Amino acid sequence: MKCLRCLNEDPRYFYYHHGRCYCRKCIGFGKSQVISKTQIISLQVDYHLKYELTPLQKKISMELVKRYQKHRNTVLKAVCGAGKTEMMYEVIRYALNSGHIVCFTTPRKELVIELSDRFKRQFLNIDPVVVYGGHCQKTEGQFIICTTHQLYRYRNFFDLLILDEYDAFPYYHNEVLENMLKTSIKGCYIFMSATIEKGDIDILSRYHQYPVPVPRCFVGSACVNILRMLFKVRKYHQENKPVLIFVPTIMLTKRISRYLHLFCVPHAIATSQTSHIHEWIDQLKNHQIAAIVCTTVLERGITIPDIQIMVIYGEHCVFSKETLIQIAGRAGRIQPYVDGEVTFFAARKTKAIKACIKQLKHDNALSATVI
């Protein structure tokens, strides 16, 4: 016996009730309510950008279309700030204009909201259907943007599925989510990440050709590191440079917030429990506040001009190599602010910190040789 939704074959997870069989591995996603078909309308989908893609971005865009035409799956490694979302536009347009059903999915709700706003602004003649927890009134369409948790609705459904940050929590190493994604695809997939060692296609340079900032790591006691961090934040505040301060837990956001109040630094807190996070981000961009103290909820998909990055309690296990690379990738994303500082404060230099710094130096060196 096999669950058609999560592919579980372990008999211990099957449960019979009133003559019906349930899989307890994925029962948390509700009873099986699967969309079996959607109405395909003849469209002439297009998109518009206020900027021109670089020659490398155009080359990768066309390569993705060719691979899709040949029914080939693709794993794309692209460093943070390479513009990988924009490089997907051409293959999305081709698939939609061919009458295919397309999904753009990512593990986190905040990224789905941001991506949906971007697609709605930049794509013409199609209104993407956006699905995430608490926002699932409409689930059927030719172009779906959703969290990976919502893929249970779509069995054997998508001709093209694009998964952004496939090595991100909570999708990564979650067997149920990974299998539900597999069962939603009837065609091809494109998986994207900035933190894998190698993909079928590798993009090691940012669109502006400047390298990803390599973090500096300061090792010391918690008290010493907090003092270093506070003086550095105050310096940034005086220079009118916005700051993201990453901590490993919600409790520690409150502790760091108290210290910032003592130093008279206007700031906000952003965690998974924070509503309207994007309002705080807008205030940071507009210099209405000087800093945001956050958990890893802001490690991906955030672009703020001239941002400076800090990690405090960097020895904590939540800061994996992949997470630290993503955090470092928030800096230097937009011209002319291409050299933002990234600083780690830790009780010791962990394997994750060393691996993060090593991989960024390695990718930057390879990028320089290619350029």
Side-chain angles (χ1 to χ4, degrees):
M1 182 178 292
K2 178 187 288 189
C3 174
L4 296 178
R5 184 159 68 179
C6 72
L7 304 181
N8 167 53
E9 296 184 75
D10 189 336
R12 294 175 299 173
Y13 288 95
F14 291 112
Y15 173 72
Y16 288 89
H17 182 69
H18 295 314
R20 293 190 63 182
C21 181
Y22 298 91
C23 174
R24 289 185 291 181
K25 265 201 171 182
C26 62
I27 193 64
F29 292 88
K31 296 179 180 179
S32 183
Q33 278 187 311
V34 177
I35 299 170
S36 58
K37 62 180 180 178
T38 191
Q39 183 180 3
I40 303 298
I41 303 173
S42 180
L43 299 171
Q44 192 57 45
V45 176
D46 206 347
Y47 61 87
H48 65 88
L49 298 172
K50 294 182 180 180
Y51 46 86
E52 189 173 353
L53 297 183
T54 66
L56 177 59
Q57 289 175 321
K58 290 179 181 177
K59 179 182 177 182
I60 299 301
S61 293
M62 296 313 301
E63 179 63 23
L64 290 171
V65 174
K66 291 176 183 177
R67 291 179 67 91
Y68 181 66
Q69 290 171 336
K70 296 177 181 178
H71 309 289
R72 296 177 66 185
N73 297 320
T74 302
V75 175
L76 174 68
K77 174 182 177 175
V79 296
C80 297
K84 60 182 180 294
T85 302
E86 288 82 356
M87 286 184 269
M88 298 298 113
Y89 284 11
E90 195 63 35
V91 70
I92 291 173
R93 174 169 67 175
Y94 173 83
L96 291 173
N97 287 337
S98 300
H100 299 168
I101 302 175
V102 177
C103 176
F104 198 111
T105 185
T106 189
R108 296 189 176 182
K109 179 179 75 173
E110 293 79 14
L111 295 185
V112 167
I113 295 171
E114 181 179 335
L115 284 167
S116 65
D117 290 340
R118 191 190 308 184
F119 280 119
K120 287 177 179 178
R121 287 195 310 268
Q122 296 176 334
F123 267 76
L124 308 174
N125 299 331
I126 191 165
D127 187 18
V129 174
V130 184
V131 189
Y132 55 85
H135 190 278
C136 47
Q137 294 79 13
K138 183 179 180 182
T139 57
E140 187 177 338
Q142 194 172 340
F143 185 17
I144 309 289
I145 305 171
C146 67
T147 57
T148 51
H149 280 72
Q150 297 297 323
L151 291 174
Y152 76 92
R153 303 175 184 275
Y154 307 98
R155 186 184 304 156
N156 194 32
F157 195 78
F158 298 114
D159 299 287
L160 172 63
L161 182 139
I162 301 170
L163 170 60
D164 193 13
E165 308 297 1
Y166 77 91
D167 53 351
F169 176 84
Y171 173 81
Y172 190 52
H173 283 167
N174 185 315
E175 181 186 6
V176 172
L177 291 179
E178 290 177 353
N179 286 335
M180 287 196 302
L181 181 140
K182 291 176 185 176
T183 58
S184 73
I185 302 170
K186 69 176 179 180
C188 301
Y189 64 74
I190 299 173
F191 289 173
M192 301 188 292
S193 175
T195 56
I196 56 174
E197 295 293 331
K198 187 171 178 57
D200 300 310
I201 299 175
D202 295 336
I203 309 168
L204 301 180
S205 62
R206 290 179 155 185
Y207 76 95
H208 51 49
Q209 304 300 310
Y210 288 88
V212 179
V214 176
R216 295 179 64 196
C217 183
F218 291 94
V219 176
S221 66
C223 290
V224 170
N225 284 337
I226 289 171
L227 282 173
R228 283 174 172 167
M229 180 270 297
L230 289 170
F231 281 108
K232 206 168 182 65
V233 170
R234 190 165 67 176
K235 173 177 173 289
Y236 289 143
H237 181 32
Q238 292 168 350
E239 296 171 349
N240 206 30
K241 293 182 176 181
V243 187
L244 285 177
I245 305 169
F246 288 87
V247 299
T249 66
I250 293 175
M251 180 186 71
L252 287 173
T253 63
K254 299 173 183 176
R255 181 184 299 178
I256 298 301
S257 176
R258 289 196 294 269
Y259 295 139
L260 290 174
H261 279 301
L262 292 175
F263 270 58
C264 300
V265 177
H267 66 282
I269 291 176
T271 73
S272 59
Q273 298 177 357
T274 305
S275 58
H276 310 298
I277 286 178
H278 286 277
E279 292 181 9
W280 292 124
I281 294 172
D282 288 340
Q283 288 193 28
L284 188 64
K285 289 178 179 179
N286 296 325
H287 302 286
Q288 295 170 275
I289 56 175
I292 294 179
V293 185
C294 58
T295 58
T296 55
V297 70
L298 295 185
E299 77 178 59
R300 300 166 189 258
I302 302 300
T303 299
I304 301 172
D306 204 19
I307 193 70
Q308 313 301 308
I309 303 296
M310 294 183 180
V311 173
I312 191 82
Y313 304 102
E315 71 278 2
H316 195 282
C317 61
V318 75
F319 293 123
S320 64
K321 179 193 82 169
E322 293 77 15
T323 295
L324 291 173
I325 288 173
Q326 286 289 346
I327 288 173
R330 298 310 98 207
R333 295 170 69 90
I334 300 178
Q335 289 181 301
Y337 310 108
V338 296
D339 57 353
E341 290 187 345
V342 181
T343 310
F344 296 164
F345 298 98
R348 65 184 186 282
K349 210 168 186 179
T350 63
K351 289 182 179 179
I353 292 174
K354 293 176 183 177
C356 164
I357 294 172
K358 180 179 179 181
Q359 182 164 331
L360 288 176
K361 287 181 175 178
H362 175 265
D363 289 349
N364 287 344
L366 287 179
S367 170
T369 60
V370 171
I371 294 169

